[in-house]
Amino acid sequence: MMAEEVKLFRSWSSPFPLRVIWALELKGIPYEVILVDLSNKSSLLLQYNPIHMKVPVLVHNGKSIAESLVILEYVEETWKQTPSLLPEDPYERAMERFWAKFGDDKVLPSLWNVFIKQGKDQEEAMVPAQENLTNLEELLRGKNFFSGERIGFLDLAFGWLANMVSVFEEVMGATVLDNQKLPSLSAWMKNFMDAPIIKESWPPRDKLITKCQALRQAHIEKEAPK
């Protein structure tokens, strides 16, 4: 039996390919990482992801799959060995997909909006961001992980939160996630980051902070009155 070809296109800093890395690692799937410079996209990336031209892209036996949440489901359906990423119950599976989409459509944009603002604008942006985080707090209450007692699909979908919130806070010099007000979410972040497969994969923190500082400054300067 020929070995399967599994390649993952990623950049050093994007949190979205990490979802795929975690899924492959959890299932014990051997894979090759191809690092991509998003400021100078390779012809290979454009070939495999001509629609969005971004990472991650999973190439499995020559066939490419784009978009991290789509790839997670592909990994789950292709390699059915344990651990399962999604629950068996159709309703529970649907709910995990719903909340994963909520994370990408609501939570991430609201936190990014806080990150690129300052002063009164930042205070106003903080309101919807806190509402979104409170929804996650309620979702987590009484559980160690979003998916239950072990890491699953929804934890991988929200994994970026465990690292990027503290990076944003350090760059801004402001608190986004209050441990007292959001104890379940805070505990989840620690549980998730302490898992061996997870903590081995984070990008260099100093390098990430430098990049985020530059991104924030660029946005602030862009919005400054001329």
Side-chain angles (χ1 to χ4, degrees):
M1 185 175 179
M2 292 181 63
E4 291 188 285
E5 176 200 47
V6 182
K7 297 180 179 179
L8 177 64
F9 287 77
R10 64 166 298 192
S11 66
W12 74 266
S13 61
S14 173
F16 301 111
L18 290 177
R19 293 168 166 171
V20 184
I21 287 174
W22 296 328
L24 294 171
E25 293 282 351
L26 283 169
K27 285 184 173 284
I29 309 301
Y31 62 97
E32 176 188 352
V33 167
I34 299 173
L35 276 173
V36 173
D37 180 358
L38 293 179
S39 65
N40 183 24
K41 297 173 183 177
S42 69
S43 59
L44 207 53
L45 175 65
L46 301 183
Q47 173 191 331
Y48 283 129
N49 190 5
I51 304 300
H52 296 299
M53 297 178 286
K54 60 184 181 180
V55 294
V57 179
L58 184 75
V59 179
H60 181 213
N61 293 336
K63 296 179 179 179
S64 60
I65 307 98
E67 297 296 295
S68 59
L69 294 180
V70 174
I71 297 172
L72 286 187
E73 296 215 37
Y74 179 84
V75 169
E76 174 73 344
E77 292 169 6
T78 303
W79 294 283
K80 298 184 183 297
Q81 63 261 48
T82 55
S84 296
L85 300 179
L86 282 160
E88 289 186 17
D89 181 78
Y91 175 78
E92 291 179 4
R93 292 169 80 94
M95 287 299 96
E96 293 222 1
R97 292 180 180 115
F98 169 85
W99 285 108
K101 185 167 170 44
F102 173 79
D104 282 5
D105 291 352
K106 296 290 186 181
V107 182
L108 180 54
S110 67
L111 289 176
W112 179 254
N113 200 33
V114 170
F115 178 67
I116 61 173
K117 299 288 176 63
Q118 54 184 348
K120 186 177 180 181
D121 290 340
Q122 187 181 76
E123 291 176 13
E124 292 175 355
M126 192 74 81
V127 175
Q130 290 299 324
E131 289 175 356
N132 290 332
L133 293 177
T134 300
N135 283 324
L136 300 187
E137 173 72 15
E138 293 300 320
L139 185 63
L140 267 168
R141 201 173 299 282
K143 298 188 290 188
N144 287 327
F145 296 101
F146 283 106
S147 297
E149 291 308 306
R150 59 177 176 79
I151 291 173
F153 175 85
L154 199 50
D155 299 283
L156 303 186
F158 278 116
W160 60 269
L161 194 66
N163 189 44
M164 293 308 299
V165 164
S166 64
V167 170
F168 284 0
E169 288 179 333
E170 184 169 337
V171 172
M172 294 186 302
T175 299
V176 174
L177 200 154
D178 188 319
N179 296 343
Q180 300 299 315
K181 293 180 180 178
L182 303 169
S184 297
L185 190 54
S186 299
W188 168 80
M189 289 172 65
K190 184 178 187 308
N191 290 336
F192 185 79
M193 291 196 75
D194 284 348
I197 284 174
I198 306 301
K199 66 183 178 183
E200 292 168 2
S201 57
W202 297 118
R205 186 175 178 86
D206 289 350
K207 191 176 176 184
L208 192 59
I209 285 173
T210 299
K211 177 174 182 175
C212 287
Q213 286 172 332
L215 285 171
R216 183 169 190 260
Q217 188 60 36
H219 276 277
I220 290 172
E221 290 176 359
K222 183 179 178 182
E223 297 299 320
K226 299 293 189 284

